[in-house]
Amino acid sequence: MAFLRKLIAALVTPWVIGLCMALPAQAAPAASPVLIGLDGEFGHVSSTSAEAIRQGIKIAVDEINRSGGVLHGRPLKLIEKANGSLPARSVNNIKEFAAMPDLVAVFCGRFSPTVLETLPLLHQLGMPLLDPWAAADAIVDNAYSPSYVFRLSLKDTWAANAMLANLEQRQFKRIGLVMLNTSWGRSTKRAVENYISRNPGIAIVGTQWINWDDVENSMLAKVQQLRVAGAQAILLTANAEEAATLAKVMLTLPRAERLPIASHWGVTGGNLPDLVGKDFYQLDFNVVQTYTFIGQNSPTATRVIVAHNALVGSSNARSIGSPVGVAHAYDLTHILAKAIDLAGSTDRAAVRNALENVPSHAGLIKNYAPPFTAGRHEALSESDVFMARYSPLHGALERIR
Amino acid sequence: MHDWMAHSIVNRATVTGIVFVLFMTFFLALVSLPVIYQQVASAQAADARHQTLRLQEYFELRLDTVSEGLRFLALNSFVVNAFIDSSGRELYLQPLLRDFQVPFGLPGQLVVLDMNHAPIASNDYGDLSGYAGHPVARAALSTGKPRLGLEADGLTLVFAAPVFYPPVSAFVGTLLLRVPVERLFEASSRYVGANQCFLVSAGTHVLYRPPCLAGTLNMDTDAGPVHALRLALAGEPIGLLLKDYEASLAAPLGRIFLSYIFLAILCGVLAFAVFRKPVRSLTRPLVELSRVAQEIAADPKSAGVATVTGGDEVGTLGQAFNAMLGELRELQTGLEQGIAEATHELRIAKETAEESNQELACANTDLARSQTDLTAVNQRLHAQNALLEESEAHLDGVISSAQDAIISIDSQHRVVLFNPAAQKMFGHSEAAMLGQTLDALMPQQFRARHSDHIRSFVTEDANSHRMGGARQLFALRSNGIEFPIEASISRFHSNSHWQHTVILRDITQRMAAENALVQSRQDLARSNADLEQFAYAASHDLIEPLRSVASSVQLLQMRYEGQLDARADAFIAHAVSGATRMRTLIDDLLAFSRVAANANKATDISMESALAAAVANLEVAIADSHAQITHDRLPNMNALGTQITQLLQNLIANAIKFRGDKPTLVHVGARQAGGEWVFSVADQGIGIEPKYFNRIFELFKRLHTREEYGGTGIGLSLCKKIVERHGGRIWVESEAGRGATFFFVLAAVA
C-alpha cells in the first residue's frame, strides 16, 4: 500500500508540479498583443504626416497599455509599413497585414488616391480601415455594404465649404482653383462646384491642374493664367512640395500682384514654411484644419502635449508640426480600443460591428457620442472645421478667429 | 572620197588626224583593261561589306530609337502620376498611351505594369493578364535600366523601361512595348541592293526572313559572297547575314568596254574639229588675197583690203599687197581734199558778212533803252524831294513834342531854336530867346565854364557827348531858381558853318527819389547790424542758462528714472528732449549770427582742406549712413576758412540726412565760369519739389516734420548767409525722388 502510495506519489507529484508550471504557460496567450497596422507614406520625401499619425497612435497605445490594455490585459502593439504614397505598395502591405492573425484594423495615411485603390482589397479581406487623415469624400462615401472604412478626419466637401466661405467672407468673389492632378484634387473640385451651385455670389474663373513635378516656371505660368482670368484669390489642393513651389512663385511677384491663398490641409503633411523659407510669412496663406494644440489647456490636451514632447524631444505645443495627424490618430486609437473590448475578440468583422456601437468617447478633439453609427462612419462633422494660418512665431498652425 | 581629199589640203590633213587619234585610243584600252578588272572586283567586295555595316547601323538605330522613345515616355509626369493616382488612369494615362507613336511608324502594344508586375494600363483594351510578371519587365524594374527581350515564339521583340518616382526615390513600375520582329527589321531599298538579301536571327530563331528567301529555310551561302555581322544589343545577340546574288564582273567590264568605244568615237569627232580648224587657218590668207585682187580688178575704186595677219610668210605677202593698195589710194585722196578746202573758205567769208549786219541792229536797240532809263531817273528825283519835305515836317513835330528841352545855337552862340519844352522848363518865350546867348539860362558861376566847353567841343573829333562828366549841372529858370539837369550836346555842319544843339532834362524829382533811397538803405543796414548783434548777444546769453537746465534734467533722468511713476518718467524724457532740441537750436542760431561777426577776416584758403575738415566733422554720420563722398579738384579761394567748412559741412550733412532708404553718393564739384567759381554738392536722395526751392533757404523753414527728419531749419539759411557774406549766391536744382544739387558761387570777400 505504502508502495502504491509512493508509486502514486511518484507519478502524481511530477504531474502536479508540471501542471503548476504549465499554468503560467497557458496564461501567456491571453497576454499576447493585439496588433494595429499603420500603412503610411513613410519614405515620401519631406512628408511628416505618417510620422504624426504614428505619434498619435503611440501616445494613445501607451495610455491604453498603462491602463491594462484591451481584452482583459492584452497590450496593443503598432505594426508599421511604408507605402511611399504608392497604391501598389499599399496593396502589398494590406495583404501582409491581413496575414497577421491578431491584427484587428489598419490605419491609413494622408494620400487619398492610395487609400481609394486599397478599398476593394480591404473589403474583400474584411479588414477594418481607420482613416485619420485622407479626405477624399469617396473613401467613406463608398458603395460597400457593410463598409469597413471609419474616418476621424475631415472630408473634401467640408474643406471646400470652409475655404470658400472664408474667401467669400473676405470679399474675394472671383476664385482660381489650383488642384493636384489626382483623385483627391478631382474630389475637391467636385465639392467646390457643389458649393458654387448653392452660392452664386462667388465664381470660379479657372482651374489649373498641377503635378508632382511642376517646377517654378510652369507653376508661374499657371498662376499668371489665373490672374489674367481675373482671379482675386487662389483655392489650393496640394501637398507641401507643390504648395512650396506655388508659394515661391507667388513671392517672385510684386506685392500688389500676389494673390491670397486658401489651402486644403495636405500642405500640413510636410513642413511648408521650412520648404519655402522665411519669406513665406509675407504671403496671405490660410489652411483648413480641425484641431490645433495651441491654446488648448484641457487635461487630455496637456497630457498629449507632454507625451508628444517626450516622444519626439520637442518643447511645447507649437512644436507639433502636423497637429491634425496626431490628434485624429490619438482619438481614433482610443475609440478602436473601446471597440475591441466591446467586440470581446480580435475578430475583424466583430471589431467592425463594434466600431458602429461604441456608445461615446470623451476625446482630445471633442466628445464623441457616439463616434460612429451604422449610418455614419464619419466621427467629425463640418462644424469641427476651421481656418488656420502659419504663425510667424515658430511656424505653428494657429486658428484664425 | 578620193576627189574630196584631192580637192583640199584641209581634207587630207583632217583624215590623217582622225586615224591617229583612233589608233591611240584603242591602244590605251588594250593596256588598261586588266588593271580596271582588278579594281572593279575589289570595289565590289568593299561595297558589299559597307552595305552590310550600313544595314547593321540602321537596325541598331531603329532598336535604340524605339528603346529611347519608351524611356522618355517613362519619364512623362502623367505616366508617373498614374502610379499614385489610380482613378486618373482612364482620364489621362490611357489617352497618352493611345497617342504614343512608336518610332518609324512601327506597330506596338504598350502596357504599364506596377511594382508588383501587374498590368494597370495599356494602349488597347485587350486582355492584359498575360503580361503579369513578364520577365523583361522584371529585369528592367530590378536593374532600373531599359531592357530588351524576345518573346518565346520568336516573333515579337519586347522593350521595357522602368518608371522612377522621385518623391520616394524608387522605381515604381515598368513600361512594356511589344513590336513585331518582321516590321522592326524591314529594310528599305536604300540600305539593301536589288541583288542582295539578308537574314536576321537570334540563336536558333530566324527573326526576319525577307521575301527574297521565300521558299527557302536558310540562306545558300555557297552561291555567292556572304557577310555575317552581329547587332550589339542589350543581352540579346542578334545575327545578321547579308548575301550578294548575281555579283559578276561581266556587267561592269561590259560597261567599261562600251565606254571605250564611245570614247573612240568622241575622240574622232574631236580630232575632226581640232585638225580642220588650224589647217583652214593656213589656207585662208591665200584665199583672201585672191578675193581682193579679183574685187579691185572688177572695181578700181573699191576700198577693200586683204585681212591677212601674223608674221609668217603668208602674213608678209598680205602686208606688201595692202601697202601697195594704200599708196595708190593716197594719191587719189590728195586731189579730193584740195577741192574741199577751197569750198570751205568761201563759206566762211559769207558767214562773216552776215554777223556784221546783226551787230548794227543791236546798237540801235541799246540807244532806245538808254532814253527810257533817263526818264526813270527823273521820276526818282521827284520822289526823293517829296520824302525830304516829309522828313522836315516830321523833325519839326519831334522837336515840338519832345519832353526834353532842345536848344540850338549858331557859331556866334546865339539861340536859333528854342522848342516848347525849353520854354516851359526855363519860363522864357521862343521870341524872347531867339538871337540871345545862353547866359540867361544858366547860373552865374557856370557861364564862363560853359563858353569854354562850347569852344573846346568845336575842336573835338566826336559829334556829340554828355555834358558835365561826373559833375552835377544846374540851370536857371526865368524866376531866378536853379534846378539840376542832365544835358547832352551835339553839333552838325550846315552851309559852311557849325551849329550846336543842346538837349536838357530836368532831374529835380529823380534826384529827390535817389536821395530818399540812399537814406533808406543806410537805415536798413543799420537795422540789420543791430538785429544781428542782438541775435548774437541773445543766443550767447541764452546758452549758459539753457546748459544749466539741460544738465539738471539729464541728471534728474539718470538718477530717478524708474523710481518715479511712468508719467514722471515721460515728463522728464520730454524735458530732456526739449532742452536738447533748444540747445541745438541756439547753437545753430549762434553760428548763424557769427557769420556776420566774422565777415571781414577773409584769407587765402584751400577748398580741398575745407572739404576735408567738413568730412572729418561728419565722420560718424558718414559711417552710419554708408554714404560715399567724392569731389573734383577744388581751387584755393579768398574766403573765411571756418565758414566755408561750415558751409560744406551743412550741405553734405543735408545730403546724408535726406538720402532716403538707401546709401547715397555725395559729389562736391567745382568749375570756373569767367571770374567766378561755381561749386556744387550733388546727392541721390529724396530730392525737393521745385516749388520749395526758395523756401528751404528761409530761416526756420522745414519741409518735413521733426519726427521724419530732425533739425532746426537753420542749416540752409546759414549756408545762404555764408555765401552772401562772401558776395556769392546759392541755389538748388532738384526733382522729387531724384536727388538734389546745391550750387554756390564764391567771389572774394568784400
Side-chain angles (χ1 to χ4, degrees):
Chain A
M1 194 62 194
F3 172 76
L4 186 62
R5 282 200 300 274
K6 283 180 183 177
L7 181 63
I8 291 170
L11 290 173
V12 171
T13 301
W15 183 80
V16 170
I17 292 170
L19 185 65
C20 291
M21 290 178 69
L23 279 175
Q26 279 185 347
S32 63
V34 174
L35 305 181
I36 304 171
L38 169 57
D39 175 36
E41 52 277 2
F42 297 106
H44 190 284
V45 63
S46 74
S47 174
T48 60
S49 50
E51 287 76 6
I53 293 168
R54 169 207 283 157
Q55 289 153 12
I57 295 173
K58 279 196 164 182
I59 292 168
V61 163
D62 285 349
E63 288 179 2
I64 293 162
N65 288 345
R66 276 200 302 273
S67 304
V70 295
L71 300 178
H72 308 294
R74 291 179 66 180
L76 284 175
K77 184 179 178 185
L78 176 65
I79 309 291
E80 299 169 7
K81 289 190 182 294
N83 62 36
S85 78
L86 298 168
R89 195 174 284 170
S90 185
V91 165
N92 292 349
N93 292 342
I94 298 295
K95 287 177 182 171
E96 291 173 17
F97 281 136
M100 298 178 184
D102 284 328
L103 192 135
V104 293
V106 175
F107 280 71
C108 64
R110 166 163 60 100
F111 288 85
S112 291
T114 307
V115 179
L116 286 169
E117 190 153 331
T118 59
L119 290 184
L121 180 65
L122 286 164
H123 287 86
Q124 179 191 336
L125 297 172
M127 174 68 78
L129 179 77
L130 303 180
D131 177 4
W133 195 313
D137 287 10
I139 293 174
V140 174
D141 301 338
N142 57 50
Y144 295 100
S145 181
S147 172
Y148 274 75
V149 183
F150 296 85
R151 174 156 59 190
L152 195 157
S153 180
L154 133 104
K155 61 192 288 188
D156 287 338
T157 297
W158 303 342
N161 293 348
M163 289 185 281
L164 288 166
N166 174 266
L167 292 173
E168 196 173 10
Q169 185 185 357
R170 297 167 66 195
Q171 301 305 314
F172 297 124
K173 304 291 188 187
R174 296 171 60 77
I175 311 301
L177 303 185
V178 177
M179 297 282 135
L180 192 65
N181 182 25
T182 65
S183 51
W184 176 40
R186 290 186 285 277
S187 167
T188 308
K189 184 168 188 288
R190 278 193 297 276
V192 168
E193 287 164 350
N194 288 337
Y195 182 96
I196 298 292
S197 65
R198 297 191 308 271
N199 298 274
I202 190 165
I204 301 302
V205 298
T207 302
Q208 292 294 328
W209 294 99
I210 58 174
N211 284 307
W212 56 273
D213 61 343
D214 261 301
V215 294
E216 291 187 25
N217 280 345
S218 59
M219 191 69 85
L220 179 60
K222 292 171 182 180
V223 170
Q224 293 293 25
Q225 284 184 43
L226 291 177
R227 287 191 69 254
V228 169
Q232 298 169 323
I234 283 179
L235 189 149
L236 173 68
T237 298
N239 295 307
E241 299 79 22
E242 300 90 33
T245 307
L246 174 66
K248 287 174 184 171
V249 162
M250 202 64 82
L251 285 168
T252 64
L253 298 177
R255 281 180 188 275
E257 295 179 13
R258 295 176 189 170
L259 298 177
I261 300 169
S263 173
H264 206 321
W265 68 356
V267 300
T268 66
N271 200 333
L272 179 60
D274 282 358
L275 291 175
V276 179
K278 62 182 173 52
D279 290 340
F280 171 74
Y281 302 106
Q282 295 178 12
L283 296 178
D284 183 347
F285 194 102
N286 294 339
V287 61
V288 173
Q289 289 286 273
T290 53
Y291 188 74
T292 173
F293 284 95
I294 297 172
Q296 302 289 347
N297 50 15
S298 70
T300 308
T302 307
R303 197 168 65 242
V304 173
I305 292 168
V306 169
H308 180 273
N309 292 345
L311 192 64
V312 301
S314 57
S315 56
N316 54 38
R318 289 182 181 273
S319 311
I320 304 176
S322 300
V324 294
V326 176
H328 292 178
Y330 174 83
D331 274 358
L332 200 48
T333 306
H334 273 291
I335 292 168
L336 173 65
K338 288 189 174 179
I340 294 169
D341 280 337
L342 191 63
S345 73
T346 58
D347 178 74
R348 291 165 190 159
V351 171
R352 190 213 80 83
N353 293 335
L355 278 166
E356 290 180 345
N357 292 299
V358 173
S360 66
H361 173 65
L364 171 67
I365 298 173
K366 66 176 190 179
N367 288 324
Y368 305 89
F372 304 107
T373 66
R376 175 175 61 80
H377 282 205
E378 301 273 10
L380 295 182
S381 66
E382 191 165 4
S383 61
D384 297 316
V385 182
F386 59 85
M387 296 300 290
R389 70 182 181 98
Y390 285 96
S391 163
L393 186 63
H394 305 310
L397 282 162
E398 59 188 18
R399 184 170 188 159
I400 299 172
R401 294 182 188 279
Chain B
M1 181 67 180
H2 184 265
D3 290 345
W4 179 74
M5 291 180 63
H7 175 71
S8 169
I9 299 170
V10 175
N11 294 348
R12 287 197 296 278
T14 303
V15 170
T16 307
I18 290 172
V19 169
F20 176 74
V21 167
L22 288 176
F23 173 77
M24 288 305 294
T25 306
F26 282 114
F27 177 75
L28 278 174
L30 208 59
V31 172
S32 61
L33 271 175
V35 178
I36 291 172
Y37 175 84
Q38 292 296 331
Q39 290 289 328
V40 169
S42 167
Q44 265 192 347
D47 188 48
R49 274 197 306 279
H50 177 67
Q51 191 67 33
T52 313
L53 280 171
R54 285 189 67 199
L55 194 61
Q56 176 190 2
E57 287 172 1
Y58 176 64
F59 287 151
E60 285 178 345
L61 172 71
R62 284 171 78 100
L63 291 166
D64 284 347
T65 306
V66 172
S67 181
E68 278 297 287
L70 190 67
R71 195 173 69 81
F72 275 107
L73 181 64
L75 296 174
N76 187 290
S77 59
F78 279 169
V79 172
V80 180
N81 211 50
F83 284 89
I84 57 169
D85 177 34
S86 58
S87 69
R89 292 167 191 163
E90 284 290 327
L91 191 67
Y92 50 78
L93 181 61
Q94 293 283 13
L96 178 73
L97 297 180
R98 281 200 297 275
D99 290 344
F100 176 69
Q101 297 293 319
V102 182
F104 305 105
L106 294 171
Q109 188 179 23
L110 201 56
V111 182
V112 183
L113 293 92
D114 67 10
M115 59 187 298
N116 297 324
H117 313 298
I120 58 174
S122 169
N123 62 349
D124 63 27
Y125 295 102
D127 179 19
L128 303 179
S129 57
Y131 299 104
H134 197 286
V136 181
R138 283 180 183 278
L141 188 61
S142 62
T143 59
K145 293 177 180 174
R147 305 294 296 183
L148 176 67
L150 193 63
E151 295 284 26
D153 58 5
L155 299 175
T156 310
L157 263 181
V158 182
F159 297 80
V163 180
F164 186 74
Y165 183 44
V168 295
S169 300
F171 291 98
V172 295
T174 44
L175 270 179
L176 213 61
L177 176 65
R178 300 175 76 246
V179 179
V181 172
E182 272 200 359
R183 298 294 304 277
L184 191 66
F185 289 108
E186 274 179 353
S188 70
S189 58
R190 192 174 165 196
Y191 296 94
V192 183
N195 297 322
Q196 291 177 326
C197 195
F198 67 92
L199 186 70
V200 182
S201 62
T204 57
H205 284 293
V206 173
L207 300 184
Y208 178 68
R209 186 188 305 279
C212 57
L213 288 181
T216 61
L217 289 177
N218 287 310
M219 191 171 277
D220 178 8
T221 54
D222 298 331
V226 173
H227 304 277
L229 290 169
R230 222 165 241 272
L231 299 181
L233 296 173
E236 285 291 340
I238 294 178
L240 173 66
L241 287 177
L242 183 136
K243 176 176 165 55
D244 278 331
Y245 287 93
E246 301 173 15
S248 156
L249 290 174
L253 287 179
R255 284 195 293 275
I256 290 171
F257 186 71
L258 284 174
S259 300
Y260 273 114
I261 292 174
F262 175 73
L263 181 65
I265 293 169
L266 183 66
C267 288
V269 172
L270 284 174
F272 179 80
V274 170
F275 280 96
R276 197 171 174 79
K277 189 173 180 184
V279 174
R280 266 184 189 280
S281 70
L282 276 174
T283 58
R284 188 180 297 120
L286 297 175
V287 175
E288 176 70 4
L289 283 176
S290 169
R291 183 188 64 76
V292 173
Q294 287 172 1
E295 188 179 319
I296 292 170
D299 179 11
K301 285 189 177 179
S302 166
V305 291
T307 54
V308 180
T309 57
D312 56 6
E313 295 82 349
V314 179
T316 307
L317 175 62
Q319 286 166 5
F321 180 80
N322 284 340
M324 182 186 74
L325 281 178
E327 285 179 6
L328 285 173
R329 283 170 183 160
E330 272 180 13
L331 281 174
Q332 186 181 0
T333 308
L335 282 172
E336 288 171 354
Q337 276 185 344
I339 294 166
E341 283 173 1
T343 307
H344 180 67
E345 285 173 2
L346 280 173
R347 190 183 302 122
I348 290 172
K350 185 185 173 190
E351 287 172 356
T352 307
E354 286 172 356
E355 282 176 3
S356 298
N357 284 336
Q358 283 178 351
E359 284 173 1
L360 277 174
C362 288
N364 284 335
T365 309
D366 290 347
L367 196 57
R369 194 179 297 128
S370 298
Q371 284 176 343
T372 308
D373 291 346
L374 205 55
T375 307
V377 168
N378 276 337
Q379 287 172 347
R380 281 202 298 278
L381 280 173
H382 282 302
Q384 284 174 356
N385 278 339
L387 285 173
L388 196 58
E389 287 170 2
E390 187 182 343
S391 175
E392 283 179 353
H394 179 69
L395 183 59
D396 285 344
V398 169
I399 291 171
S400 300
S401 62
Q403 293 297 312
D404 292 339
I406 302 172
I407 306 169
S408 293
I409 56 175
D410 59 13
S411 56
Q412 301 303 312
H413 295 188
R414 289 190 298 269
V415 174
V416 295
L417 173 66
F418 199 73
N419 76 336
Q423 296 168 36
K424 185 179 177 185
M425 187 183 296
F426 288 97
H428 295 290
S429 67
E430 183 182 18
M433 287 306 297
L434 288 178
Q436 301 299 315
T437 64
L438 295 176
D439 289 350
L441 305 180
M442 61 187 75
Q444 178 67 37
Q445 66 268 27
F446 294 117
R447 286 174 187 166
R449 196 181 301 162
H450 172 70
S451 298
D452 294 342
H453 180 76
I454 295 295
R455 275 194 295 276
S456 67
F457 181 53
V458 170
T459 63
E460 288 181 1
D461 291 337
N463 285 330
S464 66
H465 70 83
R466 187 172 182 276
M467 296 178 73
R471 287 177 290 106
Q472 178 65 58
L473 295 180
F474 290 91
L476 185 65
R477 298 191 206 279
S478 62
N479 57 8
I481 294 174
E482 292 183 16
F483 61 97
I485 58 167
E486 274 182 358
S488 62
I489 185 166
S490 60
R491 68 180 177 185
F492 63 92
H493 198 252
S494 173
N495 296 330
S496 73
H497 62 271
W498 287 95
Q499 245 187 34
H500 294 84
T501 299
V502 182
I503 300 174
L504 303 165
R505 177 174 294 170
D506 186 347
I507 57 170
T508 305
Q509 291 183 348
R510 196 179 81 193
M511 288 294 292
E514 284 177 359
N515 287 338
L517 187 61
V518 168
Q519 185 65 39
S520 296
R521 279 183 182 162
Q522 288 172 349
D523 291 347
L524 188 61
R526 193 162 51 248
S527 172
N528 278 345
D530 290 346
L531 275 173
E532 283 165 359
Q533 187 58 37
F534 170 75
Y536 179 76
S539 308
H540 191 267
D541 292 345
L542 279 172
I543 198 74
E544 273 312 315
L546 179 66
R547 190 175 288 140
S548 170
V549 170
S551 303
S552 300
V553 292
Q554 282 172 349
L555 278 173
L556 195 63
Q557 186 181 39
M558 281 190 293
R559 290 189 183 177
Y560 296 103
E561 187 171 25
Q563 298 181 24
L564 306 172
D565 62 11
R567 292 181 64 189
D569 285 348
F571 291 152
I572 293 170
H574 285 319
V576 170
S577 168
T580 307
R581 205 161 59 237
M582 189 162 181
R583 183 170 175 178
T584 307
L585 187 63
I586 291 174
D587 283 343
D588 288 351
L589 272 173
L590 209 50
F592 189 79
S593 306
R594 278 177 185 144
V595 172
N598 295 331
N600 294 324
K601 297 173 187 173
T603 57
D604 285 341
I605 64 156
S606 160
M607 291 296 285
E608 301 257 2
S609 302
L611 176 62
V615 170
N617 292 343
L618 294 168
E619 184 181 0
V620 175
I622 291 169
D624 288 348
S625 63
H626 304 293
Q628 190 180 354
I629 315 293
T630 60
H631 65 88
D632 296 340
R633 190 172 178 180
L634 303 180
N636 291 341
M637 299 296 294
N638 186 27
L640 276 165
T642 53
Q643 291 193 359
I644 296 301
T645 300
Q646 181 74 53
L647 169 64
L648 291 170
Q649 183 176 328
N650 280 12
L651 292 178
I652 294 170
N654 220 41
I656 293 171
K657 182 159 68 173
F658 296 104
R659 66 184 181 279
D661 54 1
K662 58 182 185 301
T664 188
L665 171 68
V666 183
H667 182 76
V668 181
R671 63 179 166 81
Q672 193 161 18
E676 297 177 326
W677 276 93
V678 180
F679 296 91
S680 59
V681 179
D683 64 55
Q684 302 165 326
I686 61 173
I688 305 161
E689 290 185 42
K691 62 183 179 182
Y692 299 123
F693 281 179
N694 290 326
R695 189 177 168 191
I696 57 173
F697 291 107
E698 293 175 18
L699 198 58
F700 300 125
K701 294 296 183 187
R702 300 163 50 83
L703 302 184
H704 305 275
T705 63
R706 190 170 287 107
E707 287 72 24
E708 289 174 316
Y709 293 101
T712 59
I714 295 176
L716 287 177
S717 308
L718 183 57
C719 292
K720 185 181 181 193
K721 190 162 184 180
I722 290 172
V723 172
E724 288 180 346
R725 286 291 180 182
H726 283 76
R729 60 191 185 282
I730 185 168
W731 72 97
V732 65
E733 293 176 5
S734 176
E735 194 176 329
R738 306 187 68 169
T741 303
F742 285 83
F743 295 91
F744 62 88
V745 174
L746 271 193
V749 176

